[in-house]
Amino acid sequence: MINFTYHNTTKIIFGKDTESQVGDEIKKFGNRVLLHYGEGSIKKFGLYDKVIKSLKDAGLEVFELGGVKPNPRLSLVKEGIKICRENNIDFILAVGGGSVIDSSKAIGIGVTYEGDVWDFYTGKAKVSSTLPVGVILTLPAAGSESSTSSVITNEDGWYKRSVGDNIIRPVFAIMNPELTYTLPPYQTAAGAVDMMAHIFERYFTNESNVDLTDRLSEATLKTIIKNIPIVLQDPKNYEARAEIMWAGTIAHNGLLGTGRIEDWATHDIEHEISGIYDITHGAGLAILFPAWMKYVYKKDIKRFAQFANRVWNVEIDINNLEKTALEGIEKTKAYFKKIGMPVSLSEANIPDDRFEEMAKKAIENGPLGNFVKLNKEDIIAIFNLAK
Amino acid sequence: MINFTYHNTTKIIFGKDTESQVGDEIKKFGNRVLLHYGEGSIKKFGLYDKVIKSLKDAGLEVFELGGVKPNPRLSLVKEGIKICRENNIDFILAVGGGSVIDSSKAIGIGVTYEGDVWDFYTGKAKVSSTLPVGVILTLPAAGSESSTSSVITNEDGWYKRSVGDNIIRPVFAIMNPELTYTLPPYQTAAGAVDMMAHIFERYFTNESNVDLTDRLSEATLKTIIKNIPIVLQDPKNYEARAEIMWAGTIAHNGLLGTGRIEDWATHDIEHEISGIYDITHGAGLAILFPAWMKYVYKKDIKRFAQFANRVWNVEIDINNLEKTALEGIEKTKAYFKKIGMPVSLSEANIPDDRFEEMAKKAIENGPLGNFVKLNKEDIIAIFNLAK
């Protein structure tokens, strides 16, 4: 186990009707709120009215910026920064999923920084302060409600880049599983893949002796794997929605990475695909992760066999651990398929003519990943395994 | 899953040599430090000198109060409060295990309160502020380094009572597994039982549909169960010491109780025993928990069968779940015995002549527990099962 620091300050407010507490929670931090949201689904199901009422009841002044798209754009972030500055806004409320939260985080760090907010995403500047950001989560997937990261797409060149710092963890996350009842099956499943991928990125490590985090990771994966088919059948199953929602936070709040060296190559590769083709992040991960696993598993067959056994209940063949390992990878892929995700680039209508370009862009800042270091040729090979 | 709020603000600084960071960490909060510790073991192995050096290097003024005993006493807490007030101390550093930390927490809330600090422990007053408390952990067991609770013994009547509030979580916990190398086997094992008991208190709930926290609990239990025999054989095994240390925090930082109704009857009963007989808390729990389990398991045989299967690898006998459940309880008891803990009151030289008195005292504020509500007669029956 390697040395680590873990400091997760996000207050989780979980359960039925918790969104009505939002005004009182914000009041502890500020008075002038930017309400940031997506393309209007919050208005369809009554959530918007409920939130506005809570904010007004708490005596807060509310400004609004909707229109966040999946793979949130830098241009809207800049618009948000402008609104905050012009109106002396002191709190940002994200109502939505990972895209809205990531956009809110970007606005938060942008407002207090004199330069171009994109500097944080290229590594040119380091985050040192932010406006406080609060969250009402409507799509469990990205884990951004309690994470240290924000991923933004710069339309100028379609670069999708991330920034990570403890400072940008939201101050609170309100999580009512009922708000996820209306999620379409595709979004539900893509969310599950995103959660599972966050765990995979931490699980496949070269750090030995990581018993506790291995087992906590397996526990979280098993919970997601069990509950997703339940909600795909029965979208208003509160208990299963609750398990998934809380699991999505645990998957990416940093706990499962403590003491380990994490990987993140597959996420980085996926960013190149979704940067260009605008595919749902979770779908991109469903395509890429089994391919990545097949490409790298020989680095640590025992770890992949453990994964197969403990997560997918594959019996360990002690005379052929490689077979066990490969069965685990196949089970992963079959599960993604079963819950309605694409598992090849062709299923997602992604052609094979830009592999070279994407791979080149992916390694602009050096090779990807830590479990196995990936260079351009490796990434192209993974694209080919995912064709 | 029931609604919950989870807000754990303790910064965990984990790994080799991390104690040398203590001065810089404290500097963020204050300048005048009360260094609080136990009966001198920190001076035996060089830790004291290292800590003093870090504090002095950071330019902090240091005051000292040693002498915390296991089952920490109210009188020493009051002495600490006096020292803090007289010297305008603005930070308390606990160097030790749960007793030292609990005593530090008590001093912290006592300093900022005009009345008698014991009021918090009797429920007469509610915690509303504290001096910040930081921790260098030397004994992984109580989980107090990141918990909301403090347990203090009032020598006037030997009442052992607890207080819980989010406000009293330590601001940081420095955890270097190397500092636990010198722990005697008995303390190591008693610490393990304490951790496991913290999980049991949460695991045995009537709340159904708690998949994620069930599995996270099982993961943490399995990690402790695997690693304790390793360090009993090989006390300087860094990796195993690290797993145990981090597991001890997870066991009691609140995560495993999210969405559940917790029990805590066994802890309350144990407090009566260790209040009178001054037995190690973990040893008291090793004696009482199997007896409690035997007394209550019929309330939810399926849950006990799940526990037996997932934690102790007992094969589920689908035609006789009760047998499976009982095997799990036997395995728990056998494990405690194997690691050197007493599993009966007589082994700990505790006579049977004060059961009535202890049971009566235990329920002074009403019946104990939530999984099964326990009255005086139930508690006496549990004592008899533990004889």
Side-chain angles (χ1 to χ4, degrees):
Chain A
M1 204 191 292
I2 57 168
N3 281 17
F4 65 86
T5 299
Y6 182 63
H7 195 198
N8 187 332
T9 46
T10 305
K11 179 179 181 182
I12 304 292
I13 303 165
F14 193 101
K16 289 180 186 171
D17 296 322
T18 44
E19 64 274 18
S20 61
Q21 300 174 34
V22 68
D24 291 338
E25 282 299 321
I26 293 175
K27 198 72 194 162
K28 298 171 190 168
F29 299 93
N31 294 297
R32 300 169 69 83
V33 182
L34 178 69
L35 172 59
H36 196 36
Y37 54 90
E39 300 182 285
S41 73
I42 72 162
K43 293 194 177 168
K44 255 192 272 175
F45 305 108
L47 176 59
Y48 176 86
D49 293 338
K50 225 170 155 182
V51 170
I52 290 288
K53 184 178 181 312
S54 176
L55 299 178
K56 297 283 178 194
D57 285 354
L60 299 164
E61 195 153 350
V62 183
F63 301 82
E64 282 191 38
L65 179 63
V68 181
K69 288 184 176 21
N71 301 317
R73 310 295 157 87
L74 182 62
S75 56
L76 194 72
V77 168
K78 290 190 172 173
E79 206 180 317
I81 293 170
K82 196 161 162 274
I83 295 172
C84 287
R85 285 181 180 157
E86 285 172 0
N87 298 285
N88 290 314
I89 281 166
D90 51 22
F91 193 92
I92 302 168
L93 175 64
V95 182
S99 299
V100 174
I101 303 167
D102 283 6
S103 185
S104 299
K105 287 171 168 176
I107 295 170
I109 56 176
V111 170
T112 59
Y113 176 64
E114 280 186 12
D116 183 344
V117 66
W118 189 245
D119 291 348
F120 295 120
Y121 294 81
T122 56
K124 205 177 133 189
K126 206 189 133 16
V127 178
S128 64
S129 71
T130 181
L131 286 191
V133 173
V135 171
I136 297 178
L137 187 65
T138 61
L139 169 60
S144 187
E145 65 277 7
S146 174
S147 83
T148 58
S149 59
S150 160
V151 184
I152 295 295
T153 297
N154 186 342
E155 302 99 312
D156 182 7
W158 295 102
Y159 283 92
K160 190 172 174 181
R161 293 288 178 265
S162 67
V163 64
D165 196 290
N166 227 30
I167 291 170
I168 67 174
R169 289 196 199 265
V171 293
F172 67 75
I174 289 175
M175 298 168 63
N176 176 357
E178 293 175 314
L179 299 179
T180 69
Y181 285 172
T182 52
L183 280 177
Y186 190 84
Q187 293 302 329
T188 298
V193 176
D194 197 8
M195 292 172 198
M196 292 171 71
H198 290 151
I199 305 175
F200 295 162
E201 299 284 16
R202 295 173 167 100
Y203 192 83
F204 295 104
T205 183
N206 296 314
E207 189 59 27
S208 55
N209 299 300
V210 281
D211 285 356
L212 177 62
T213 41
D214 270 3
R215 289 198 182 274
L216 294 174
S217 296
E218 293 150 5
T220 313
L221 283 168
K222 283 179 94 100
T223 304
I224 298 164
I225 291 164
K226 176 185 160 189
N227 284 286
I228 286 291
I230 297 174
V231 301
L232 291 178
Q233 280 288 319
D234 176 14
K236 295 192 178 180
N237 184 312
Y238 181 84
E239 299 297 346
R241 288 283 191 193
E243 297 291 343
I244 293 163
M245 198 171 207
W246 193 205
T249 302
I250 302 296
H252 198 44
N253 71 359
L255 173 65
L256 304 182
T258 53
R260 312 168 75 96
I261 292 168
E262 307 182 359
D263 190 70
W264 298 100
T266 311
H267 265 75
D268 287 339
I269 301 172
E270 198 287 326
H271 287 174
E272 298 310 326
I273 295 185
S274 57
I276 291 178
Y277 296 102
D278 219 18
I279 185 179
T280 303
H281 180 54
L285 291 166
I287 294 166
L288 286 173
F289 241 115
W292 175 85
M293 288 177 174
K294 259 183 221 157
Y295 192 72
V296 303
Y297 78 93
K298 286 187 179 159
K299 179 75 185 286
D300 189 348
I301 287 176
K302 280 186 195 164
R303 176 155 287 278
F304 273 91
Q306 172 184 297
F307 168 72
N309 175 253
R310 295 204 198 151
V311 175
W312 297 110
N313 303 315
V314 176
E315 196 167 70
I316 288 184
D317 185 339
I318 43 174
N319 296 311
N320 196 343
L321 286 181
E322 184 166 6
K323 183 170 151 271
T324 311
L326 286 168
E327 265 183 70
I329 298 171
E330 279 314 307
K331 289 246 184 190
T332 308
K333 190 169 176 176
Y335 181 81
F336 290 164
K337 204 176 167 71
K338 187 180 97 176
I339 63 174
M341 285 289 104
V343 289
S344 67
L345 291 167
S346 57
E347 278 177 75
N349 299 313
I350 293 173
D352 60 4
D353 57 349
R354 295 176 78 176
F355 288 177
E356 172 94 16
E357 174 195 346
M358 291 191 289
K360 206 173 147 192
K361 225 163 133 188
I363 55 151
E364 268 180 13
N365 298 316
L368 300 185
N370 289 303
F371 182 67
V372 173
K373 288 266 172 214
L374 302 178
N375 285 298
K376 202 182 83 180
E377 298 312 317
D378 303 305
I379 297 166
I380 291 171
I382 290 169
F383 283 141
N384 278 309
L385 281 169
K387 265 210 289 202
Chain B
M1 206 191 289
I2 57 168
N3 283 16
F4 66 86
T5 300
Y6 182 63
H7 194 199
N8 187 334
T9 46
T10 305
K11 179 179 181 182
I12 304 292
I13 303 164
F14 193 101
K16 289 179 186 169
D17 296 321
T18 44
E19 64 274 19
S20 60
Q21 299 173 35
V22 68
D24 292 339
E25 282 301 319
I26 293 175
K27 198 72 195 162
K28 297 171 189 166
F29 298 93
N31 294 298
R32 299 169 71 81
V33 182
L34 179 68
L35 172 60
H36 197 34
Y37 53 91
E39 301 181 285
S41 72
I42 70 162
K43 293 193 179 169
K44 253 192 275 174
F45 305 109
L47 177 59
Y48 176 85
D49 294 337
K50 223 169 156 183
V51 171
I52 290 288
K53 184 179 182 312
S54 176
L55 299 178
K56 297 284 179 191
D57 285 353
L60 299 164
E61 196 154 351
V62 184
F63 301 82
E64 283 191 39
L65 179 62
V68 181
K69 288 183 176 18
N71 301 315
R73 310 297 157 84
L74 182 61
S75 55
L76 194 72
V77 168
K78 289 191 173 172
E79 204 180 318
I81 293 170
K82 197 162 160 271
I83 295 172
C84 287
R85 285 184 180 152
E86 285 172 359
N87 297 287
N88 289 314
I89 281 167
D90 50 21
F91 194 92
I92 302 168
L93 175 63
V95 182
S99 298
V100 175
I101 303 167
D102 283 8
S103 186
S104 298
K105 287 171 168 176
I107 295 170
I109 57 178
V111 171
T112 59
Y113 176 63
E114 281 186 13
D116 183 345
V117 65
W118 190 245
D119 292 350
F120 295 121
Y121 293 80
T122 56
K124 207 177 133 188
K126 209 190 132 10
V127 178
S128 64
S129 71
T130 182
L131 287 192
V133 173
V135 171
I136 297 178
L137 187 65
T138 61
L139 169 59
S144 188
E145 66 277 7
S146 173
S147 83
T148 59
S149 59
S150 159
V151 184
I152 295 293
T153 296
N154 187 341
E155 301 98 313
D156 182 8
W158 297 102
Y159 284 92
K160 189 171 173 180
R161 293 289 178 266
S162 68
V163 63
D165 196 290
N166 227 31
I167 290 170
I168 67 174
R169 287 196 201 266
V171 293
F172 66 75
I174 290 176
M175 299 166 64
N176 176 358
E178 293 174 313
L179 299 179
T180 70
Y181 286 172
T182 52
L183 279 177
Y186 190 84
Q187 294 302 329
T188 298
V193 177
D194 197 9
M195 294 173 196
M196 292 172 71
H198 289 151
I199 304 176
F200 295 162
E201 297 286 15
R202 295 172 167 100
Y203 192 84
F204 296 103
T205 183
N206 296 312
E207 189 60 27
S208 55
N209 298 300
V210 281
D211 286 356
L212 177 63
T213 40
D214 270 3
R215 289 197 183 275
L216 295 174
S217 297
E218 293 150 4
T220 313
L221 283 169
K222 283 179 93 100
T223 304
I224 298 164
I225 291 164
K226 176 185 160 189
N227 285 286
I228 286 292
I230 297 174
V231 300
L232 291 179
Q233 280 288 320
D234 175 15
K236 296 192 177 180
N237 185 311
Y238 181 84
E239 300 296 347
R241 288 283 190 191
E243 297 292 342
I244 293 163
M245 198 171 206
W246 192 206
T249 303
I250 301 296
H252 198 43
N253 71 359
L255 172 66
L256 304 183
T258 54
R260 312 168 77 96
I261 293 169
E262 307 181 1
D263 190 69
W264 296 100
T266 311
H267 264 75
D268 287 340
I269 301 171
E270 198 288 325
H271 287 175
E272 297 312 325
I273 294 185
S274 57
I276 292 178
Y277 296 102
D278 218 18
I279 185 180
T280 303
H281 180 53
L285 291 166
I287 294 165
L288 286 173
F289 241 115
W292 176 85
M293 288 178 174
K294 259 182 217 154
Y295 192 73
V296 304
Y297 78 92
K298 286 188 178 157
K299 179 76 186 286
D300 190 348
I301 287 175
K302 281 187 196 163
R303 176 157 286 279
F304 273 90
Q306 172 184 296
F307 168 71
N309 174 252
R310 294 202 197 152
V311 175
W312 297 109
N313 303 314
V314 176
E315 196 167 70
I316 289 184
D317 184 339
I318 45 175
N319 295 312
N320 194 345
L321 286 181
E322 185 167 2
K323 183 171 150 272
T324 310
L326 286 167
E327 266 183 68
I329 298 170
E330 279 314 308
K331 290 246 185 192
T332 307
K333 191 170 175 175
Y335 181 82
F336 290 164
K337 205 176 168 69
K338 186 179 97 176
I339 63 174
M341 285 288 105
V343 289
S344 68
L345 291 167
S346 57
E347 279 178 74
N349 299 314
I350 294 173
D352 60 3
D353 58 347
R354 296 176 78 176
F355 288 178
E356 172 94 18
E357 175 195 345
M358 290 190 290
K360 208 174 146 191
K361 224 162 134 189
I363 56 151
E364 268 180 12
N365 298 316
L368 301 185
N370 289 302
F371 182 67
V372 173
K373 288 266 172 212
L374 302 179
N375 285 299
K376 201 182 82 180
E377 299 312 316
D378 302 305
I379 296 166
I380 292 170
I382 289 168
F383 284 140
N384 278 307
L385 281 168
K387 266 211 287 201

